[in-house]
């Protein structure tokens, strides 16, 4: 009998020691075996690694050495490499070869096809797929947008297309990129703004502000008058014009607090209200009139009052809201029933969790207001599956249930392109690897 009791006690002690020493514990995550001086994430599975002044390129589990002085990513397919002579070239990872021309500086890559480069003080485009220089070399070339890019020649600005052809003559003092069919230009020294279309046709008048929100829809300002151009028709108003989405705009009179909702499709006002515009979620617009809040549907044109007990609505979503009452923030469900205690601040939900703040620090609660992390941390970041928390200059990583799953503190933990990296006290970086669950 005594021997049996001793055996049981020994088993309990063994289990306890195993738990404390993590002998029987299989962690959810672990650190990669290899560490690096730097890790640059290109995408989920592609990285540039540096270790002992040597660069490596990683594609999933395959790692190859890239023997150059410096390496950086242009895209998932292309790397920019610099040799000992400071010459820059582009490595095509799919073909595993270099483009045929060397450049003094690479300024950018557009659409996985056009390389904007500078050589001998001149800028130009290079077609990576055809491996040839496009068009002429200029004092300056902009980024291709809607198949057009600004160029500067003889101190005047014009536009080239994706083939390098000068499609709009260099006659402007300054010009911006094309957006939604239009570009903003200045045609004379000290002049105001004009807009041009894809053919380079200028507006007759100059304006203080120009913005193209979508095809054939422009917002202009001429001194105190705001102008909305919708399919060639001009609407002038002294009201402030606020874009709600592609199809609806808010005209707001700041003196009278009267708002009007303008429909692009019907080219007219569909609703007037007296109050404050709060926000727009999908097709639902939140309006505050005095101490009451209303939801106006842009689709059905229906209005309904929000029944609540908060003084101020801070955040509205279709499945929850955050309201403030007596200087405290609370979470409300879709029926505006209070489900949390009061906090000094509550941030919008991310991955089914809320960051909350109190005088003691920041914490985390779930969507049912259950405490996940106590409000004691200096900062918190929510990422898919995990929580990164910082306390006294050290960072930890927790799972969504609030369990510290690395059991250590680190100088830095960062989340990039779906991967989590930690920097240890020796300034080396490691990747976090998820362990597969036991079957």
């Amino acid at each position: 009998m005594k021997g049996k009791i001793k055996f049981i006690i020994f088993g309990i002690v063994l289990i306890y020691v195993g738990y404390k020493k993590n002998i029987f514990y299989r962690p959810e995550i672990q650190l990669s075996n290899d560490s690096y001086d730097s890790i640059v994430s290109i995408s989920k599975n592609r990285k540039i690694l540096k270790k002992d002044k040597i660069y490596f390129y990683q594609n999933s589990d395959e790692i190859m050495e890239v023997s150059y002085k410096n390496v950086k990513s242009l895209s998932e397919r292309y790397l920019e490499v610099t040799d000992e002579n400071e010459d820059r070239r582009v490595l095509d990872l799919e073909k595993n070869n270099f483009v045929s021309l060397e450049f003094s500086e690479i300024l950018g890559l557009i659409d996985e096809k056009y390389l904007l480069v500078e050589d001998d003080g001149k800028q130009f485009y290079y077609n990576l797929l055809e491996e040839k220089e496009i068009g002429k070399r200029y004092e300056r070339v902009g980024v291709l947008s809607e198949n057009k890019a600004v160029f500067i020649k003889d101190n005047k600005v014009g536009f080239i297309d994706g083939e390098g052809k000068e499609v709009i003559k260099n006659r402007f003092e300054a010009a911006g990129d094309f957006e939604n069919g239009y570009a903003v230009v200045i045609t004379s020294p000290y002049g105001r703004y004009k807009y041009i279309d894809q053919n380079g046709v200028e507006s007759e008048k100059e304006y203080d502000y120009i913005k193209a929100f979508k095809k054939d829809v422009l917002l202009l300002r001429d001194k105190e008058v705001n102008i909305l151009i919708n399919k060639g028709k001009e609407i002038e108003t002294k009201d402030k014009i606020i874009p709600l989405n592609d199809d609806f705009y808010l005209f707001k009179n700041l003196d009278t607090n009267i708002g009007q909702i303008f429909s692009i499709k019907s080219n007219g006002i569909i609703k007037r209200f007296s109050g404050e515009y709060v926000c727009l979620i999908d097709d639902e617009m939140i309006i505050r009139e005095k101490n009451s809040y209303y939801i106006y549907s842009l689709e059905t044109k229906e209005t309904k009052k929000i029944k609540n007990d908060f003084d101020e609505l801070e955040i509205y979503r279709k499945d929850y809201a955050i309201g403030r009452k007596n200087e405290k923030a609370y979470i409300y469900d879709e029926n505006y029933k209070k489900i949390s205690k009061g906090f000094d601040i509550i941030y919008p939900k991310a991955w089914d969790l809320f960051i909350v703040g109190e005088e003691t620090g920041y914490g985390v609660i779930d969507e049912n207001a259950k405490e996940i992390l106590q409000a004691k941390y200096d900062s918190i970041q929510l990422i898919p599956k995990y929580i990164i928390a910082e306390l006294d200059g050290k960072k930890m990583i927790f799972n969504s249930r609030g369990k510290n799953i690395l059991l250590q503190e680190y100088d830095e933990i960062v989340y990039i392109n779906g991967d989590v990296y930690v920097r240890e006290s020796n300034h080396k970086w490691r990747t976090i690897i998820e362990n597969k669950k036991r079957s």
Side-chain angles (χ1 to χ4, degrees):
M1 183 69 179
K2 289 183 180 180
K4 188 175 182 180
I5 293 174
K6 287 182 180 180
F7 179 78
I8 293 173
I9 293 173
F10 175 77
I12 293 172
V13 171
L14 181 63
I15 292 173
Y16 176 78
V17 172
Y19 172 79
K20 284 293 186 180
K21 300 293 185 181
N22 293 315
I23 295 174
F24 306 121
Y25 170 63
R26 180 177 174 83
E28 296 178 35
I29 58 176
Q30 67 182 39
L31 296 181
S32 59
N33 294 325
D34 294 324
S35 62
Y36 296 92
D37 300 322
S38 67
I39 301 176
V40 177
S41 178
I42 303 172
S43 64
K44 173 63 178 173
N45 297 313
R46 299 188 180 190
K47 305 174 182 68
I48 298 174
L49 314 170
K50 183 181 180 182
K51 184 175 184 179
D52 300 328
K53 298 182 179 181
I54 299 175
Y55 285 93
F56 301 87
Y57 170 71
Q58 178 179 355
N59 185 3
S60 297
D61 295 328
E62 182 182 349
I63 298 178
M64 70 175 184
E65 182 177 335
V66 185
S67 302
Y68 287 90
K69 183 179 179 180
N70 192 22
V71 179
K72 72 177 185 180
S73 168
L74 293 173
S75 69
E76 287 196 38
R77 177 174 176 175
Y78 298 103
L79 298 181
E80 176 188 342
V81 299
T82 307
D83 62 22
E84 296 297 331
N85 298 320
E86 297 296 332
D87 287 325
R88 292 171 173 83
R89 292 189 287 170
V90 175
L91 172 61
D92 186 336
L93 295 169
E94 290 188 7
K95 296 181 178 179
N96 197 26
N97 62 7
F98 292 95
V99 296
S100 58
L101 190 61
E102 296 178 356
F103 314 111
S104 59
E105 187 171 2
I106 296 174
L107 304 176
L109 177 65
I110 294 91
D111 298 333
E112 289 286 289
K113 178 179 180 181
Y114 300 106
L115 194 68
L116 179 57
V117 297
E118 182 172 316
D119 202 40
D120 295 329
K122 296 291 186 179
Q123 296 179 2
F124 56 98
Y125 273 99
Y126 186 88
N127 189 318
L128 282 173
L129 301 182
E130 299 177 6
E131 295 193 13
K132 68 177 184 178
E133 190 173 324
I134 300 173
K136 301 177 182 177
R137 298 188 176 198
Y138 298 99
E139 300 165 25
R140 186 179 179 87
V141 180
V143 174
L144 274 168
S145 176
E146 300 184 2
N147 199 41
K148 288 182 177 60
V150 300
F151 71 91
I152 298 178
K153 184 172 67 174
D154 301 327
N155 293 323
K156 294 290 184 178
V157 183
F159 288 86
I160 58 173
D161 63 12
E163 301 302 318
K165 298 177 182 178
E166 296 182 7
V167 290
I168 299 177
K169 183 177 174 57
N170 56 316
R171 64 180 190 269
F172 307 113
E173 297 294 319
D177 295 331
F178 268 90
E179 182 181 15
N180 295 316
Y182 299 95
V184 179
V185 299
I186 297 176
T187 59
S188 61
Y190 310 108
R192 295 192 297 164
Y193 301 116
K194 286 187 173 186
Y195 60 87
I196 60 172
D197 63 15
Q198 293 278 359
N199 297 316
V201 178
E202 302 174 16
S203 59
E204 294 180 3
K205 295 177 60 178
E206 294 182 336
Y207 301 92
D208 298 313
Y209 173 84
I210 298 173
K211 176 70 174 177
F213 284 103
K214 60 184 294 187
K215 181 66 174 175
D216 296 328
V217 178
L218 294 104
L219 178 59
L220 317 170
R221 186 171 63 247
D222 184 10
K223 298 178 182 177
E224 296 182 356
V225 178
N226 292 309
I227 305 164
L228 183 67
I229 298 180
N230 181 26
K231 298 176 182 177
K233 297 181 179 180
E234 291 191 9
I235 300 171
E236 294 188 1
T237 177
K238 290 189 176 181
D239 292 350
K240 182 178 181 181
I241 302 177
I242 303 170
L244 298 177
N245 56 29
D246 284 346
D247 297 319
F248 297 94
Y249 292 75
L250 172 63
F251 290 12
K252 184 67 175 176
N253 190 305
L254 301 180
D255 295 325
T256 64
N257 213 26
I258 299 294
Q260 302 180 88
I261 302 175
F262 179 86
S263 169
I264 292 296
K265 290 182 180 179
S266 62
N267 200 36
I269 300 297
I270 61 170
K271 181 177 177 60
R272 290 176 172 85
F273 63 91
S274 175
E276 176 188 354
Y277 161 69
V278 179
C279 64
L280 180 75
I281 303 296
D282 297 330
D283 67 327
E284 293 185 344
M285 179 178 175
I286 307 301
I287 301 169
R288 181 177 184 176
E289 294 185 10
K290 296 181 179 179
N291 295 323
S292 298
Y293 288 88
Y294 299 85
I295 299 175
Y296 175 73
S297 172
L298 296 173
E299 182 177 350
T300 65
K301 312 295 188 297
E302 295 178 349
T303 302
K304 64 180 181 179
K305 185 177 181 180
I306 296 176
K307 297 179 180 180
N308 62 82
D309 69 344
F310 44 74
D311 302 323
E312 182 181 357
L313 177 63
E314 292 192 334
I315 294 171
Y316 167 78
R317 300 292 186 268
K318 290 195 173 183
D319 60 337
Y320 77 93
I322 298 175
R324 187 167 291 275
K325 186 176 180 63
N326 298 328
E327 299 184 355
K328 287 290 185 179
Y330 299 86
I331 299 174
Y332 296 78
D333 64 16
E334 64 271 18
N335 297 314
Y336 306 103
K337 179 182 177 182
K338 189 189 298 180
I339 62 173
S340 77
K341 73 172 189 176
F343 295 92
D344 292 338
I345 189 170
I346 303 176
Y347 291 92
K349 182 169 66 173
W351 294 285
D352 298 327
L353 298 174
F354 294 90
I355 297 175
V356 297
E358 298 187 287
E359 288 185 3
T360 54
Y362 294 98
V364 177
I365 61 175
D366 66 15
E367 57 187 350
N368 297 313
K370 177 184 176 182
E371 183 179 87
I372 303 299
L373 289 184
Q374 187 180 351
K376 67 175 185 179
Y377 296 94
D378 300 326
S379 68
I380 287 177
Q381 180 186 4
L382 301 179
I383 62 176
K385 298 183 182 180
Y386 307 118
I387 305 167
I388 300 173
E390 182 175 1
L391 183 64
D392 298 329
K394 293 292 184 179
K395 291 191 175 182
M396 298 148 277
I397 188 163
F398 301 84
N399 63 16
S400 59
R401 301 182 301 278
K403 183 176 182 179
N404 189 334
I405 48 179
L406 273 184
L407 307 178
Q408 285 183 299
E409 299 176 341
Y410 295 91
D411 293 338
E412 187 64 88
I413 302 177
V414 297
Y415 172 77
I416 306 173
N417 288 335
D419 288 317
V420 183
Y421 306 92
V422 303
R423 189 182 71 199
E424 300 176 300
S425 56
N426 61 0
H427 301 291
K428 298 287 186 178
W429 290 89
R430 294 180 187 270
T431 307
I432 285 180
I433 302 172
E434 292 185 17
N435 286 323
K436 294 182 178 179
K437 292 182 180 180
R438 290 186 175 130
S439 57

